Amino acid sequence: MTTVTAVALHDLTQAFDNIAVSDDSNPQPGDVDGARSSLFTEGLAAAGAGGSVGSDGLTFNLPTDFVGTEDNALAQGQNAPRPVMRPASAFS
C-alpha cells in the first residue's frame, strides 16, 4: 500500500523537479515534454527572454538566467491543494 502525504508549498518553485530549458550545444538535461525535448536558451533570448510581456493589463517579467536548472514542475497525478481565491487571470 502506498501512503500519500500532503506537503504544503509556499511557492511553486518548491515543486520544480524538471529542466525545460537547455543550451543548443547541450540539450541533454532538458525534458520539457517527457520525450527529451527542451526549449533552447538561444531561441528564448531571441524571443525576448529577460524582457517582459503583457496580457490583459498585466505584465509578466521573463527570466534571464534559467538554462540547466529545474524550472518547472511536472504534473504526474499528484494533488496540489490551493486556497480558495477570487477568480484571477494571472498568478504571481
Side-chain angles (χ1 to χ4, degrees):
M1 177 191 266
T2 302
T3 302
V4 177
T5 304
V7 177
L9 300 176
H10 299 285
D11 187 296
L12 178 61
T13 60
Q14 293 176 308
F16 285 0
D17 60 358
N18 185 49
I19 297 172
V21 180
S22 62
D23 191 273
D24 274 340
S25 64
N26 183 23
Q28 287 302 318
D31 188 17
V32 71
D33 61 359
R36 306 300 305 165
S37 299
S38 65
L39 305 170
F40 293 118
T41 189
E42 293 83 357
L44 291 171
S52 60
V53 295
S55 177
D56 292 330
L58 300 169
T59 300
F60 297 92
N61 296 318
L62 303 173
T64 55
D65 185 26
F66 44 76
V67 65
T69 60
E70 291 179 341
D71 53 20
N72 69 93
L74 288 178
Q76 298 176 344
Q78 69 272 38
N79 291 322
R82 64 175 179 80
V84 175
M85 299 182 290
R86 62 180 174 79
S89 59
F91 296 97
S92 61

Coordinates of all heavy atoms in Angstrom, one line a residue:
M1 N 0.8 -1.2 0.0 CA 0.0 0.0 0.0 C 0.9 1.2 0.0 O 1.9 1.3 0.7 CB -0.9 0.0 1.2 CG -1.7 1.3 1.3 SD -2.6 1.5 2.8 CE -4.1 0.7 2.5
T2 N 0.5 2.2 -0.8 CA 1.3 3.5 -0.9 C 0.6 4.5 0.0 O -0.6 4.7 0.0 CB 1.3 4.0 -2.4 OG1 1.9 3.0 -3.2 CG2 2.0 5.3 -2.4
T3 N 1.4 5.2 0.8 CA 0.9 6.3 1.6 C 1.2 7.6 0.9 O 2.3 7.9 0.5 CB 1.6 6.3 3.0 OG1 1.4 5.0 3.6 CG2 1.1 7.3 3.9
V4 N 0.1 8.4 0.9 CA 0.2 9.8 0.3 C 0.3 10.8 1.4 O -0.6 10.8 2.3 CB -0.9 10.0 -0.7 CG1 -0.8 11.4 -1.2 CG2 -1.0 9.0 -1.8
T5 N 1.3 11.6 1.4 CA 1.4 12.7 2.4 C 1.3 14.0 1.7 O 2.0 14.3 0.7 CB 2.8 12.6 3.1 OG1 2.9 11.3 3.6 CG2 2.9 13.6 4.2
A6 N 0.4 14.9 2.1 CA 0.3 16.2 1.6 C 1.3 17.1 2.2 O 1.5 17.1 3.4 CB -1.1 16.8 1.8
V7 N 2.0 17.9 1.4 CA 3.0 18.8 1.9 C 2.7 20.2 1.3 O 2.5 20.3 0.1 CB 4.4 18.4 1.4 CG1 5.5 19.5 1.8 CG2 4.8 17.0 1.9
A8 N 2.5 21.1 2.2 CA 2.1 22.5 1.8 C 3.3 23.2 1.1 O 4.4 23.1 1.6 CB 1.7 23.3 3.0
L9 N 3.0 23.7 -0.1 CA 4.0 24.5 -0.8 C 3.7 26.0 -0.6 O 2.6 26.4 -0.7 CB 4.0 24.2 -2.3 CG 4.2 22.8 -2.7 CD1 4.0 22.6 -4.2 CD2 5.6 22.3 -2.3
H10 N 4.8 26.7 -0.2 CA 4.6 28.1 0.0 C 4.9 28.9 -1.3 O 4.6 30.1 -1.4 CB 5.5 28.6 1.1 CG 5.3 28.0 2.4 ND1 4.2 28.3 3.1 CD2 5.9 27.0 3.0 CE1 4.1 27.5 4.2 NE2 5.1 26.7 4.2
D11 N 5.5 28.2 -2.3 CA 5.9 28.8 -3.5 C 6.0 27.7 -4.6 O 6.5 26.6 -4.3 CB 7.2 29.5 -3.3 CG 7.6 30.4 -4.5 OD1 7.9 29.8 -5.6 OD2 7.8 31.6 -4.4
L12 N 5.5 28.0 -5.8 CA 5.6 27.0 -6.8 C 7.0 26.5 -7.1 O 7.2 25.3 -7.4 CB 5.0 27.5 -8.1 CG 5.0 26.6 -9.3 CD1 4.2 25.3 -9.0 CD2 4.5 27.2 -10.6
T13 N 8.0 27.3 -6.9 CA 9.3 26.9 -7.2 C 9.8 25.7 -6.3 O 10.7 25.0 -6.6 CB 10.3 28.1 -7.0 OG1 10.3 28.6 -5.6 CG2 10.0 29.2 -8.0
Q14 N 9.1 25.5 -5.1 CA 9.4 24.4 -4.3 C 9.0 23.1 -4.9 O 9.6 22.0 -4.5 CB 8.7 24.5 -2.9 CG 9.1 25.7 -2.1 CD 8.3 25.8 -0.8 OE1 7.1 25.8 -0.9 NE2 9.0 25.8 0.3
A15 N 8.2 23.1 -5.9 CA 7.8 21.9 -6.6 C 8.6 21.6 -7.9 O 8.5 20.6 -8.5 CB 6.3 21.9 -7.0
F16 N 9.5 22.6 -8.3 CA 10.2 22.4 -9.5 C 11.1 21.1 -9.4 O 11.8 20.9 -8.5 CB 11.1 23.6 -9.8 CG 10.4 24.8 -10.2 CD1 9.1 24.9 -10.4 CD2 11.1 26.0 -10.5 CE1 8.4 26.0 -10.9 CE2 10.5 27.1 -10.9 CZ 9.2 27.1 -11.1
D17 N 10.9 20.3 -10.5 CA 11.6 19.0 -10.5 C 12.0 18.6 -11.9 O 12.3 17.4 -12.2 CB 10.7 17.9 -9.9 CG 9.4 17.7 -10.6 OD1 9.1 18.4 -11.6 OD2 8.6 16.8 -10.3
N18 N 12.0 19.5 -12.8 CA 12.3 19.2 -14.2 C 13.0 20.4 -14.9 O 12.7 21.5 -14.5 CB 10.9 18.9 -14.9 CG 11.1 18.5 -16.3 OD1 11.9 17.6 -16.6 ND2 10.4 19.1 -17.2
I19 N 13.8 20.0 -15.8 CA 14.5 21.1 -16.6 C 13.9 21.2 -18.0 O 13.8 20.2 -18.7 CB 16.0 20.7 -16.7 CG1 16.7 20.6 -15.4 CG2 16.8 21.7 -17.7 CD1 18.1 20.1 -15.4
A20 N 13.4 22.3 -18.3 CA 12.7 22.5 -19.6 C 13.6 23.3 -20.6 O 13.5 23.2 -21.7 CB 11.4 23.3 -19.4
V21 N 14.6 24.1 -20.0 CA 15.4 24.9 -20.9 C 16.9 24.4 -20.9 O 17.4 24.2 -19.8 CB 15.4 26.4 -20.4 CG1 16.3 27.3 -21.2 CG2 14.0 26.9 -20.3
S22 N 17.4 24.2 -22.1 CA 18.8 23.8 -22.2 C 19.5 24.6 -23.2 O 18.9 25.5 -23.9 CB 18.8 22.3 -22.6 OG 18.2 22.1 -23.8
D23 N 20.8 24.4 -23.3 CA 21.6 25.2 -24.3 C 21.6 24.4 -25.6 O 21.6 23.2 -25.6 CB 23.0 25.3 -23.7 CG 23.9 26.3 -24.5 OD1 24.5 25.8 -25.5 OD2 23.9 27.4 -24.1
D24 N 21.7 25.1 -26.7 CA 21.8 24.5 -28.0 C 22.9 23.5 -28.1 O 22.7 22.4 -28.7 CB 22.0 25.5 -29.1 CG 20.7 26.2 -29.7 OD1 19.7 25.6 -29.5 OD2 20.8 27.2 -30.3
S25 N 24.0 23.8 -27.5 CA 25.1 22.9 -27.5 C 25.1 21.7 -26.6 O 25.8 20.7 -26.7 CB 26.4 23.6 -27.3 OG 26.4 24.1 -25.9
N26 N 24.1 21.7 -25.6 CA 24.0 20.6 -24.7 C 22.5 20.4 -24.3 O 22.0 20.8 -23.2 CB 24.8 20.9 -23.4 CG 24.7 19.8 -22.4 OD1 24.4 18.6 -22.8 ND2 24.9 20.0 -21.2
P27 N 21.7 19.8 -25.2 CA 20.3 19.7 -25.0 C 19.9 18.5 -24.0 O 18.8 18.4 -23.6 CB 19.7 19.4 -26.3 CG 20.8 18.8 -27.1 CD 22.1 19.4 -26.6
Q28 N 20.9 17.7 -23.6 CA 20.6 16.5 -22.8 C 19.9 16.8 -21.5 O 19.0 16.0 -21.2 CB 21.9 15.8 -22.5 CG 22.5 15.0 -23.7 CD 21.5 14.0 -24.3 OE1 20.9 13.3 -23.6 NE2 21.4 14.0 -25.6
P29 N 20.2 17.8 -20.7 CA 19.4 17.9 -19.5 C 18.0 18.2 -19.6 O 17.2 18.0 -18.7 CB 20.1 19.1 -18.7 CG 21.3 19.5 -19.6 CD 21.2 18.8 -20.9
G30 N 17.6 18.8 -20.8 CA 16.2 19.2 -20.9 C 15.2 18.1 -21.2 O 15.5 17.2 -22.0
D31 N 14.0 18.2 -20.7 CA 13.0 17.2 -21.0 C 11.6 17.9 -20.6 O 10.9 17.5 -19.7 CB 13.2 16.0 -20.1 CG 12.2 14.9 -20.6 OD1 11.6 15.0 -21.7 OD2 12.0 13.9 -19.8
V32 N 11.2 18.9 -21.4 CA 10.0 19.6 -21.1 C 8.8 18.8 -21.3 O 7.7 19.1 -20.7 CB 10.0 20.9 -22.0 CG1 9.8 20.7 -23.4 CG2 9.0 21.9 -21.4
D33 N 8.8 17.8 -22.2 CA 7.6 17.1 -22.6 C 7.6 15.6 -22.3 O 6.7 14.9 -22.7 CB 7.3 17.3 -24.0 CG 8.4 16.8 -24.9 OD1 9.5 16.2 -24.4 OD2 8.3 16.9 -26.2
G34 N 8.6 15.1 -21.6 CA 8.7 13.6 -21.3 C 9.2 12.8 -22.5 O 9.4 11.6 -22.4
A35 N 9.6 13.5 -23.6 CA 10.1 12.9 -24.8 C 11.5 13.4 -25.1 O 12.0 13.4 -26.2 CB 9.2 13.1 -26.0
R36 N 12.2 14.0 -24.0 CA 13.5 14.5 -24.1 C 13.7 15.7 -25.0 O 14.7 16.1 -25.5 CB 14.5 13.5 -24.5 CG 14.6 12.2 -23.7 CD 14.9 12.3 -22.3 NE 16.1 13.0 -22.0 CZ 16.5 13.5 -20.8 NH1 15.7 13.4 -19.8 NH2 17.6 14.2 -20.7
S37 N 12.6 16.5 -25.2 CA 12.6 17.7 -25.9 C 12.9 18.9 -24.9 O 12.6 18.7 -23.7 CB 11.3 18.0 -26.6 OG 11.0 17.0 -27.6
S38 N 13.4 20.0 -25.4 CA 13.6 21.1 -24.5 C 13.5 22.4 -25.3 O 13.5 22.4 -26.5 CB 15.0 21.0 -23.8 OG 16.1 21.1 -24.8
L39 N 13.4 23.5 -24.5 CA 13.4 24.8 -25.1 C 14.9 25.3 -25.1 O 15.6 25.1 -24.1 CB 12.5 25.7 -24.2 CG 11.1 25.3 -24.0 CD1 10.4 26.1 -23.0 CD2 10.4 25.3 -25.4
F40 N 15.3 25.9 -26.1 CA 16.7 26.3 -26.2 C 16.9 27.8 -25.7 O 16.2 28.7 -26.1 CB 17.3 26.2 -27.6 CG 17.4 24.7 -28.0 CD1 16.7 24.2 -29.0 CD2 18.2 23.8 -27.3 CE1 16.8 22.9 -29.4 CE2 18.3 22.5 -27.6 CZ 17.6 22.0 -28.7
T41 N 17.9 28.0 -24.9 CA 18.1 29.3 -24.3 C 18.4 30.4 -25.4 O 17.9 31.5 -25.3 CB 19.3 29.3 -23.3 OG1 19.3 30.5 -22.6 CG2 20.6 29.0 -23.9
E42 N 19.0 29.9 -26.5 CA 19.3 30.9 -27.5 C 18.0 31.4 -28.2 O 17.9 32.5 -28.5 CB 20.3 30.3 -28.6 CG 21.6 30.0 -28.1 CD 21.8 28.7 -27.3 OE1 20.8 27.9 -27.1 OE2 22.9 28.4 -26.9
G43 N 17.1 30.5 -28.4 CA 15.8 30.8 -29.0 C 15.0 31.7 -28.1 O 14.3 32.6 -28.5
L44 N 15.0 31.4 -26.8 CA 14.3 32.2 -25.8 C 14.9 33.6 -25.8 O 14.1 34.6 -25.7 CB 14.3 31.5 -24.5 CG 13.5 30.2 -24.4 CD1 13.8 29.6 -23.0 CD2 12.0 30.5 -24.6
A45 N 16.2 33.7 -25.8 CA 16.8 35.0 -25.8 C 16.4 35.8 -27.0 O 16.1 37.0 -27.0 CB 18.4 34.9 -25.8
A46 N 16.4 35.2 -28.2 CA 16.0 35.9 -29.4 C 14.5 36.3 -29.4 O 14.1 37.3 -30.0 CB 16.2 35.0 -30.6
A47 N 13.7 35.5 -28.6 CA 12.3 35.9 -28.5 C 12.0 36.9 -27.4 O 10.9 37.3 -27.2 CB 11.5 34.6 -28.2
G48 N 13.0 37.3 -26.7 CA 12.9 38.3 -25.7 C 13.0 37.9 -24.2 O 12.6 38.6 -23.3
A49 N 13.6 36.8 -23.9 CA 13.8 36.3 -22.5 C 14.6 37.4 -21.8 O 15.5 38.0 -22.4 CB 14.5 35.0 -22.5
G50 N 14.2 37.7 -20.6 CA 14.8 38.8 -19.8 C 14.0 40.1 -20.0 O 14.2 41.0 -19.2
G51 N 13.1 40.1 -20.9 CA 12.2 41.3 -21.1 C 10.9 41.0 -20.4 O 10.9 40.3 -19.4
S52 N 9.9 41.6 -20.9 CA 8.6 41.4 -20.3 C 7.5 41.4 -21.4 O 7.7 41.8 -22.5 CB 8.3 42.5 -19.3 OG 8.3 43.8 -19.9
V53 N 6.4 40.7 -21.0 CA 5.3 40.6 -22.0 C 4.0 41.0 -21.2 O 4.0 40.9 -20.0 CB 5.1 39.2 -22.5 CG1 6.3 38.8 -23.4 CG2 4.9 38.2 -21.5
G54 N 3.1 41.5 -21.9 CA 1.8 42.0 -21.3 C 0.6 41.2 -21.8 O 0.6 40.8 -22.9
S55 N -0.3 41.0 -20.9 CA -1.6 40.4 -21.3 C -2.7 40.8 -20.3 O -2.5 40.8 -19.1 CB -1.4 38.8 -21.2 OG -2.7 38.2 -21.5
D56 N -3.8 41.2 -20.8 CA -4.9 41.7 -20.0 C -4.6 42.7 -19.0 O -5.0 42.7 -17.8 CB -5.6 40.5 -19.3 CG -6.3 39.5 -20.3 OD1 -6.8 40.1 -21.4 OD2 -6.4 38.3 -20.0
G57 N -3.7 43.6 -19.3 CA -3.3 44.7 -18.4 C -2.2 44.3 -17.4 O -1.9 45.0 -16.5
L58 N -1.8 43.0 -17.4 CA -0.8 42.5 -16.5 C 0.6 42.4 -17.2 O 0.6 42.1 -18.4 CB -1.2 41.1 -16.0 CG -2.5 41.1 -15.2 CD1 -2.9 39.7 -15.0 CD2 -2.4 41.9 -13.9
T59 N 1.7 42.6 -16.5 CA 3.0 42.5 -17.0 C 3.7 41.3 -16.4 O 3.7 41.1 -15.2 CB 3.8 43.8 -16.8 OG1 3.2 44.9 -17.4 CG2 5.2 43.6 -17.4
F60 N 4.3 40.5 -17.3 CA 5.0 39.3 -16.8 C 6.5 39.5 -17.2 O 6.8 39.7 -18.3 CB 4.5 38.0 -17.5 CG 3.0 37.7 -17.1 CD1 2.0 38.2 -17.9 CD2 2.7 37.0 -16.0 CE1 0.7 37.9 -17.6 CE2 1.4 36.7 -15.7 CZ 0.4 37.2 -16.5
N61 N 7.3 39.4 -16.2 CA 8.8 39.5 -16.4 C 9.3 38.2 -16.7 O 9.1 37.2 -16.0 CB 9.5 40.1 -15.2 CG 9.0 41.6 -14.9 OD1 8.9 42.3 -15.9 ND2 8.8 41.9 -13.7
L62 N 10.1 38.1 -17.8 CA 10.6 36.8 -18.2 C 12.0 36.6 -17.6 O 12.8 37.6 -17.4 CB 10.8 36.7 -19.7 CG 9.4 36.9 -20.5 CD1 9.7 37.0 -22.0 CD2 8.5 35.8 -20.1
P63 N 12.4 35.4 -17.2 CA 13.7 35.2 -16.5 C 14.8 35.4 -17.5 O 14.7 35.3 -18.7 CB 13.6 33.7 -16.0 CG 12.6 33.1 -16.9 CD 11.6 34.2 -17.3
T64 N 16.0 35.7 -16.9 CA 17.2 35.8 -17.7 C 18.2 34.7 -17.6 O 18.9 34.4 -18.5 CB 17.9 37.1 -17.4 OG1 18.2 37.1 -16.0 CG2 17.1 38.3 -17.7
D65 N 18.2 34.1 -16.4 CA 19.2 33.0 -16.1 C 18.4 31.8 -15.7 O 18.0 31.6 -14.5 CB 20.1 33.4 -15.1 CG 21.2 32.4 -14.8 OD1 21.5 31.7 -15.8 OD2 21.8 32.4 -13.7
F66 N 18.2 30.8 -16.6 CA 17.4 29.6 -16.3 C 18.0 28.4 -16.9 O 17.5 27.3 -16.6 CB 16.0 29.8 -16.7 CG 15.8 30.4 -18.0 CD1 16.0 29.7 -19.2 CD2 15.5 31.8 -18.1 CE1 15.9 30.3 -20.4 CE2 15.4 32.4 -19.4 CZ 15.5 31.6 -20.5
V67 N 19.0 28.5 -17.8 CA 19.4 27.3 -18.5 C 20.0 26.2 -17.6 O 20.8 26.5 -16.7 CB 20.4 27.7 -19.6 CG1 21.7 28.2 -19.1 CG2 20.7 26.5 -20.5
G68 N 19.5 25.0 -17.7 CA 20.1 23.9 -17.0 C 19.7 23.8 -15.5 O 20.2 23.0 -14.8
T69 N 18.7 24.5 -15.1 CA 18.2 24.4 -13.7 C 16.8 23.9 -13.7 O 16.1 24.1 -14.7 CB 18.3 25.8 -13.0 OG1 17.4 26.7 -13.8 CG2 19.7 26.4 -13.0
E70 N 16.4 23.3 -12.6 CA 15.0 22.9 -12.5 C 14.1 24.1 -12.6 O 14.2 25.0 -11.7 CB 14.8 22.1 -11.3 CG 15.5 20.8 -11.3 CD 15.4 19.9 -10.1 OE1 15.1 20.5 -9.0 OE2 15.6 18.7 -10.2
D71 N 13.2 24.2 -13.6 CA 12.5 25.4 -13.8 C 11.0 25.2 -14.0 O 10.2 26.2 -14.3 CB 13.0 26.2 -15.0 CG 13.1 25.3 -16.3 OD1 12.4 24.2 -16.3 OD2 13.9 25.6 -17.2
N72 N 10.5 24.0 -13.8 CA 9.1 23.8 -13.9 C 8.7 22.5 -13.1 O 9.6 21.8 -12.7 CB 8.6 23.6 -15.3 CG 9.2 22.4 -16.0 OD1 8.5 21.3 -16.0 ND2 10.4 22.4 -16.5
A73 N 7.5 22.3 -12.8 CA 7.0 21.1 -12.1 C 6.2 20.2 -13.0 O 5.3 20.7 -13.6 CB 6.2 21.5 -10.9
L74 N 6.5 19.0 -13.1 CA 5.8 18.0 -13.9 C 4.5 17.6 -13.1 O 4.6 17.3 -11.9 CB 6.6 16.8 -14.1 CG 7.8 16.9 -15.1 CD1 8.5 15.6 -15.2 CD2 7.3 17.4 -16.5
A75 N 3.4 17.6 -13.8 CA 2.2 17.1 -13.2 C 2.1 15.6 -13.5 O 2.2 15.2 -14.6 CB 1.0 17.8 -13.9
Q76 N 2.1 14.8 -12.4 CA 2.0 13.4 -12.6 C 1.0 12.8 -11.7 O 1.2 11.8 -11.0 CB 3.4 12.8 -12.2 CG 4.5 13.3 -13.1 CD 5.9 12.8 -12.7 OE1 6.1 12.3 -11.6 NE2 6.8 12.9 -13.6
G77 N -0.2 13.4 -11.7 CA -1.3 12.8 -10.9 C -1.4 13.2 -9.5 O -2.2 12.8 -8.8
Q78 N -0.4 14.1 -9.1 CA -0.4 14.5 -7.7 C -1.5 15.5 -7.4 O -1.9 16.2 -8.3 CB 1.0 15.0 -7.2 CG 1.4 16.3 -7.8 CD 2.1 16.1 -9.2 OE1 1.8 15.3 -10.0 NE2 3.1 16.9 -9.4
N79 N -1.9 15.6 -6.2 CA -2.8 16.7 -5.8 C -2.1 17.9 -5.4 O -1.1 17.8 -4.6 CB -3.7 16.2 -4.6 CG -4.7 15.1 -5.0 OD1 -5.2 15.2 -6.1 ND2 -4.8 14.2 -4.1
A80 N -2.5 19.1 -5.8 CA -1.9 20.3 -5.4 C -3.0 21.2 -4.8 O -3.6 22.0 -5.5 CB -1.2 21.0 -6.6
P81 N -3.2 21.1 -3.5 CA -4.2 21.9 -2.9 C -3.9 23.4 -3.0 O -2.7 23.7 -2.9 CB -4.3 21.4 -1.5 CG -3.0 20.7 -1.2 CD -2.5 20.2 -2.6
R82 N -4.9 24.2 -3.1 CA -4.7 25.6 -3.2 C -5.8 26.3 -2.4 O -6.9 25.8 -2.3 CB -4.6 26.2 -4.6 CG -5.9 26.0 -5.3 CD -5.8 26.6 -6.7 NE -7.0 26.4 -7.5 CZ -8.1 27.1 -7.3 NH1 -8.2 28.1 -6.4 NH2 -9.2 26.9 -8.0
P83 N -5.5 27.5 -1.9 CA -6.6 28.2 -1.2 C -7.7 28.7 -2.1 O -7.4 28.9 -3.3 CB -5.8 29.4 -0.5 CG -4.6 29.5 -1.3 CD -4.3 28.2 -1.9
V84 N -8.9 28.8 -1.6 CA -9.9 29.3 -2.4 C -9.7 30.8 -2.6 O -9.6 31.5 -1.6 CB -11.3 29.0 -1.8 CG1 -12.4 29.6 -2.6 CG2 -11.5 27.5 -1.7
M85 N -9.7 31.3 -3.8 CA -9.5 32.7 -4.1 C -10.5 33.2 -5.1 O -11.1 32.4 -5.7 CB -8.0 32.9 -4.6 CG -6.9 32.5 -3.7 SD -5.3 32.8 -4.3 CE -5.2 31.6 -5.7
R86 N -10.5 34.5 -5.2 CA -11.3 35.1 -6.2 C -10.8 34.8 -7.6 O -9.6 34.5 -7.7 CB -11.5 36.6 -6.0 CG -10.1 37.3 -6.2 CD -10.3 38.8 -6.0 NE -9.1 39.5 -5.9 CZ -8.3 39.8 -7.0 NH1 -8.8 39.5 -8.2 NH2 -7.2 40.5 -6.9
P87 N -11.5 34.8 -8.6 CA -11.0 34.5 -10.0 C -9.9 35.5 -10.4 O -10.0 36.6 -10.0 CB -12.2 34.6 -10.9 CG -13.4 34.4 -10.0 CD -13.0 35.0 -8.7
A88 N -8.9 34.9 -11.0 CA -7.8 35.8 -11.5 C -7.4 35.3 -12.9 O -7.6 34.2 -13.3 CB -6.6 35.7 -10.5
S89 N -6.8 36.3 -13.6 CA -6.3 35.9 -14.9 C -4.8 35.7 -14.9 O -4.2 35.5 -16.0 CB -6.7 37.0 -15.9 OG -6.1 38.2 -15.5
A90 N -4.1 35.8 -13.8 CA -2.7 35.6 -13.7 C -2.3 35.2 -12.3 O -3.0 35.5 -11.3 CB -2.0 36.9 -14.1
F91 N -1.2 34.5 -12.2 CA -0.6 34.2 -10.9 C 0.7 34.9 -10.7 O 1.4 35.1 -11.7 CB -0.4 32.6 -10.8 CG -1.6 31.9 -10.9 CD1 -2.1 31.3 -12.1 CD2 -2.4 31.6 -9.7 CE1 -3.2 30.6 -12.1 CE2 -3.6 30.9 -9.8 CZ -4.0 30.4 -11.0
S92 N 1.0 35.2 -9.5 CA 2.3 35.9 -9.3 C 3.2 35.1 -8.4 O 2.7 34.2 -7.7 CB 2.1 37.3 -8.7 OG 1.4 37.2 -7.5

